[in-house]
Amino acid sequence: MAKVNFESIQSVRSLQQLLDYLRDGLDWPIESYDLDELTFEWRANKLNLGETGTRHLADGIVRQLRPLKTGQPWGIFIVEFTDDAVHRGALREILRGLVFNRRRDPSLPAWQHDNLLFVCITKNC
């Protein structure tokens, strides 16, 4: 298992650099940089986001990195904001849409709170 290099993580400033670090620094099996091949899209309506949460997201979507192995218990999500801020309220709404609860669509995958990672990107990232 690869060791995390905190200096390398702190120098990541773009999605491309993040993918490079995951592939080269942590030995993740990332073979493509095409976001359509690498990710699933979660639209705001599937996450039950309100107007405020949706407005803060680029294109009104959240991207999930495809699982690295079958049965993977954790989900990694790329949240791109439309401005220079990370909006905690929007992140709370996204979180509620991804965890088990009675109000969500039971046909969609869900995760435990501790098994979610949000990678946030702002406009000037």
Side-chain angles (χ1 to χ4, degrees):
M1 180 183 223
K3 187 174 180 178
V4 175
N5 180 321
F6 291 103
E7 287 179 15
S8 295
I9 291 172
Q10 291 173 336
S11 70
V12 170
R13 295 287 179 256
S14 69
L15 182 56
Q16 175 75 40
Q17 289 176 339
L18 172 66
L19 295 174
D20 286 340
Y21 177 74
L22 296 175
R23 187 192 66 217
D24 302 333
L26 297 180
D27 298 326
W28 285 24
I30 294 176
E31 298 174 8
S32 168
Y33 287 111
D34 181 355
L35 281 182
D36 291 332
E37 289 180 27
L38 252 174
T39 63
F40 299 113
E41 287 185 0
W42 286 76
R43 298 229 168 255
N45 63 334
K46 291 288 185 191
L47 294 168
N48 293 323
L49 299 186
E51 183 180 327
T52 302
T54 302
R55 183 180 63 233
H56 292 302
L57 298 177
D59 300 323
I61 61 169
V62 173
R63 295 183 181 273
Q64 176 193 355
L65 281 178
R66 293 182 185 272
L68 301 173
K69 63 180 186 174
T70 304
Q72 176 176 303
W74 34 273
I76 302 169
F77 294 85
I78 299 168
V79 181
E80 187 173 355
F81 291 100
T82 56
D83 56 21
D84 294 334
V86 172
H87 297 274
R88 289 183 299 193
L91 287 174
R92 280 190 213 103
E93 287 185 42
I94 294 165
L95 178 68
R96 281 192 295 270
L98 294 172
V99 298
F100 297 99
N101 68 52
R102 293 187 309 256
R103 294 180 298 200
R104 67 184 310 281
D105 182 345
S107 67
L108 295 173
W111 291 264
Q112 298 295 325
H113 287 91
D114 292 344
N115 292 342
L116 290 170
L117 172 67
F118 293 129
V119 176
C120 298
I121 300 172
T122 59
K123 184 176 182 182
N124 289 329
C125 181

